[in-house]
Amino acid sequence: SKVVHAAPDTSSFINTKSISKGGGISTFRNAVVVSEKAKNSKSAVSCESLMLDDISRSDTVPAMDIRCADADIGHEARIGRISDDAVFYLMNRGISEEDAKAMIVSGFADNVSKELPLEYSVESLSGDEKFGVNKFAPYHSNGDVAGIVTVKLFYHRSVSQR
């Protein structure tokens, strides 16, 4: 993704989330450009990745080109796994392990997936396939989703005047 701030008092927010399983690799590259004229501009970039196994991977490659001293620009990246404690907590409340993991994955993607169109891409070994949001969720740990799978949920709020 790329955002260019070319006018004063503009703002942008990029939020990306990825979920990888079965050796899936997620790479997020972004660029934020702030021109000399873009005083008082603000930009926030957030990249979160959830690894569902030990063989998947996530990389974040940010690029910031800031040519104005009066700009507030930030980037954050977080990579995590499903917490055994969270699964244990849900299982102690009568939820199966598979359903507990599905709930955690769904909760991770919830705020971004609400902003997406009805369909988004899932990349796998067999090529690009289209799945509706509800088709991938819930996550199945028993192998129902085959091959290398990386799901990227991407939401970008356009640059706008404040």
Side-chain angles (χ1 to χ4, degrees), residues 113-141:
S113 64
K114 286 179 180 176
E115 302 290 338
L116 293 174
L118 182 58
E119 293 184 346
Y120 60 91
S121 294
V122 175
E123 302 165 15
S124 70
L125 279 177
S126 60
D128 291 341
E129 301 173 29
K130 292 282 189 181
F131 289 91
V133 172
N134 293 325
K135 179 112 181 196
F136 182 76
Y139 152 76
H140 293 286
S141 59

Side-chain angles (χ1 to χ4, degrees), residues 22-93:
I25 299 172
S26 171
T27 302
F28 174 67
R29 299 176 194 279
N30 77 292
V32 175
V33 178
V34 180
S35 74
E36 301 88 7
K37 299 176 184 177
K39 292 181 180 180
N40 299 317
S41 292
K42 294 182 179 182
S43 181
V45 178
S46 174
C47 179
E48 297 177 70
S49 298
L50 181 62
M51 306 291 105
L52 300 181
D53 55 36
D54 292 333
I55 58 174
S56 295
R57 173 180 151 170
S58 178
D59 299 312
T60 300
V61 184
M64 308 285 179
D65 182 3
I66 304 164
R67 301 175 186 184
C68 176
D70 295 330
D72 183 9
I73 311 299
H75 179 273
E76 66 176 285
R78 285 183 264 165
I79 299 172
R81 300 191 185 285
I82 294 179
S83 163
D84 290 338
D85 290 341
V87 174
F88 180 76
Y89 175 86
L90 292 169
M91 288 176 67
N92 276 321
R93 277 140 186 84

Side-chain angles (χ1 to χ4, degrees), residues 148-162:
I148 297 174
V149 176
T150 298
V151 177
K152 288 188 180 181
L153 306 172
F154 177 76
Y155 173 65
H156 173 220
R157 188 177 310 142
S158 300
V159 176
S160 61
Q161 294 283 45
R162 267 191 273 167

